[in-house]
Each structure stands twice: as C-alpha cells, then as structure tokens.
DNA sequence: TTAAACATGTAGCCTAAGCTAAATATTGAG
DNA sequence: CTCAATATTTAGCTTAGGCTACATGTTTAA
C-alpha cells in the first residue's frame, strides 16, 4: 500500500498527483475529534480543576450522549480514563496529545491574527486548520510569527 | 439553535469559548468530500476531456465502490449528472463549487510555498486546510501573496 | 462475433459521529 | 432520610464514508 503509481508527472506541473494527499487529509480528519476532546479536557482541568462530560457537551455543542460515546472511544484508544459518574483524566498519551493540540491551536490562532484576520473568524478557522498542519508548516507559521513580532514589538533599538 | 450562552468571557482572554467553532469545523468537514470530488472532476475534464469513476477512484485513493456511492450522493445534492457507464458532468452548481475549490486550493498552496514550506508537504497540507478557510483568511493569504510577489518578483523600479 | 479485460453497480458489512427517548445513578435540599 | 434535580449510560436509530465479494454491463482484440 502507498504510492503505487508514482505521480503522473503532468507536463504543465499541474495538479494531477496521486492518492497520497487525499489519504493524509482523511486520516487527519479521523484524528480530529480525539485531539479536540483531549485539548478541551485539559483546558477544563486547567481552569476548573476537573472535566466532566456535561461540560464537554456544552463546549463542543453536541449532546451528552455523543460525548459519552466519544469518551468510550477515547478510553479504547488509551487517551483517557474515568470511572462512571466521576471526573475525567487524561493518560500520559492523552496529555501529550493535548499539549500538542494546544500548541498548534495557539500558533495557528496567533498566526492568523498576525496576518490581520479578525479575532472571531481566526478562532473559527484555527479550529479547523489546526488538524492539517505538518511540522514544516507549523515551523513556517512560527517563524513568520517571530519576525512579525520582531518588526512591531520592539520598535526600540 | 446557535449561540445560546454567549462566550463565558474568561478574564484572561483564554480559550473558553462556546460551541460555535466546533460546529463550524464539523460542517466544513462534511462539505469536504463534495468539494474534493467536484474539484477533481473538473481537473480531469480539463486535462483529459472527461472524467470517469475509475479515474476518481485512482486519484483519490479509494475503491471504485466508494466513488460509486459518492457520485450518487453528489447527484442527490445536485452537483453532478451522469448516466451509468458514461462520463461524469458537473451541474452549474457543481462547476461553481469546483471553481471555488480550485481557487482555494491554488491560493493556499501558493501561500504555503511563499512561506517556505517544501512543495510536497505544502501539497498535502493544502489538501486539508483548503476546506477550513473563511473569506477573510483567504483574503489575508492573497494579500500576503501579493506583497511577497511584489517584494521579490520585480526587483526593478 | 465472441471471450477476455475493463468499468460500473449491488449486496452486505464496518466504524465514527451524530441524535432522541428512556433507564439508572448521584447529589443536594428540605 | 427522602425526593427532586442533575448527570450518565443504554438502546436504538441515522448518515457519511469506507471496504470486499460478487454481479452485470461495455469495449476490444483475436
Ligand atoms: Mn479543532
Ligand atoms: Mn483546538
Ligand atoms: Mn481537499
Ligand atoms: Mn483540493
């Protein structure tokens, strides 16, 4: 499986590549829910000391039933532990994913703001984009962010 | 339905917003497949004069069965027409969506390249990101692209 | 003109994510 | 201590998007 038919180098350098891009995008989509869950769980823990299913439902705009099933999936995937009617904990793996998710979220958001995108819109776009950024693109965003800060932040010197 | 509980303005300007972001991201994900289909169909028509189901399967890296069902959904949503064993056509609505999808694809890709992201990676990230950009962010990307071009393209003057 | 190769469709299965309605567990006021 | 409010789970349904195996239609080369 994988690149079975190289690239179809369409002379014009046009867009006729192979399946890889699409597969990657689909995989990213599948991982999206998990990342959003653990990120939010960590946020709730940081702000309120604990995360409960109801809070997740409220903040994600889904029913509590959806959250319940979602949590069962997270447990199955080793990202979360919890006992019925108790608060939710992240596993080591869950915390790692949450940290990564938060990092992305912040970088993407700051980047969009630096580009001049209005706050609310930037929040929305970041929520979707954050799941589709390679390390290289993350690095490029960060780099831009730094130079943008350098240019405006310290007009001294 | 919608913003039922305004924003929970967490003093620190932190990330405790409400459900809207997540809902939008989910909707964008749902629309993603359709956009990718019509974009690819238009690309194939432009390059080869027609689009067939097999080609779609090959290029998207899914089985022909998945494409068959996908096409039925597209028909149901008024984006495509086709007769069994014949080539695939976009409706007016389908062409509009394809045009929009291509525009986004190009802008996002060019933007990432301008930021210094390597070609292959940029292709991949663009394939996912392109579905999560508001008009505002698109505009910001375009603007950046123009200024970047102005800075390097015409060193004269 | 017919058989093989190729393209498309159908049957039937799966998982993720969503939902409502209904059952059950926990918490908290009186 | 008990009953109501709140939280959680379960049952059972939906749609999108995948899949394999198999059936059927179309093209093409002998
Ligand atoms: Mn997100
Ligand atoms: Mn996020
Ligand atoms: Mn795409
Ligand atoms: Mn695209």
């Amino acid at each position: 499986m994988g690149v079975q038919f190289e690239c179809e180098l369409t002379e014009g350098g046009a867009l006729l590549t192979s399946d890889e891009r699409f597969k990657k995008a689909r995989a990213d989509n599948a991982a999206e829910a998990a990342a959003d869950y653990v990120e939010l769980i960590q946020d709730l823990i940081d702000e309120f000391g604990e995360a409960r299913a109801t809070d997740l439902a409220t903040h994600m705009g889904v029913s509590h039933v959806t959250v319940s099933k979602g949590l069962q999936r997270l447990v199955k995937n080793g990202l979360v532990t919890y006992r019925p009617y108790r608060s939710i904990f992240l596993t080591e793996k869950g915390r790692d994913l949450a940290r990564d998710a938060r990092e992305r979220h912040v970088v993407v958001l700051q980047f969009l703001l630096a580009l001049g995108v209005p706050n609310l819109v930037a929040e929305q776009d970041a929520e979707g984009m954050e799941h589709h950024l390679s390390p290289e693109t993350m690095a490029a965003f960060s780099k831009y962010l730094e130079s943008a800060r350098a240019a405006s932040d310290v007009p001294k010197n």
Side-chain angles (χ1 to χ4, degrees), chain A residues 28 32 35-36 39 100-109 112 123-134 138 141:
Chain A
D28 289 346
E32 182 166 338
D36 283 341
E39 186 189 356
D100 188 67
R102 176 135 65 177
E103 238 175 75
R104 286 166 181 283
H105 192 107
V106 169
V107 169
V108 176
L109 178 59
L112 291 178
E123 285 275 3
Q124 292 222 319
D125 288 7
E127 198 59 68
M129 288 172 58
E130 62 183 359
H131 309 282
H132 299 277
L133 302 177
S134 62
M138 284 293 293
F141 280 17

Side-chain angles (χ1 to χ4, degrees), chain A residues 67-85:
Chain A
V67 168
S68 188
K69 290 215 305 179
L71 288 173
Q72 291 170 44
R73 264 192 304 277
L74 293 183
V75 168
K76 193 180 63 176
N77 296 330
L79 294 167
V80 146
T81 45
Y82 73 112
R83 302 203 316 290
Y85 296 92

